[in-house]
Amino acid sequence: MIRRLTVATVAAAALSLALAGCGNSSNSGSGSGSNSGSGSSGGSGSAVDWAEKVCKSIEPDVEALGKTPDVDPSDMAKTKDNMVSFLGKFSTALGHMATSLKDSGDPPVANGKEDVAKLISALDSAKKAVDEAKTNLDKASASDPAAFQEAFTKVGEDLSKLGDLEDPTKSLEANKELKDAFDQAPTCKKIDMGGGSSSTPTS
């Protein structure tokens, strides 16, 4: 699960490069923390149970983040629609992932609350960058090639901010108990296996 979250962020950053390439060429392009619980370090149940609850909740979101839209330089109107739709789903997935972590309560491990809060903050920052990119693209007119190319370049810049963010799963990787819990939870393992061969198409 931790690897899939990281892959999702990297995929978005890679997509931003494809968008920038499309925007810079007129005839060619590339396809492509909140509060919870008490002050104690954990709640009832095992860390694996907590991780399983989280992964079951975010499984559809992780799958959504693993998909990228078609970018066709020969049909800018279609490309815009595909991108706006993708960015909307991307934002929704990131928001739901953060909410799922909040709703799952404090993980029953030492320093778990603080480490999860860092992950939620990273997801919120990623969502903000995606929302900004979607807003900028939505304003662009596909009937004006020059303006649309400029908008695509701006979208690429907005999404490239995701590459500047700290690895959203760094805090979980550093907490051995949390990392072990995600490695052992059945749904988390399934998510990992499902994304082991995922890649971001570029051409």
Side-chain angles (χ1 to χ4, degrees), residues 92-118:
T92 298
L94 289 170
H96 184 254
M97 290 169 75
T99 298
S100 296
L101 285 165
K102 296 174 187 176
D103 291 347
S104 294
D106 299 343
V109 302
N111 301 316
K113 180 177 181 179
E114 293 80 4
D115 290 331
V116 170
K118 292 176 184 177

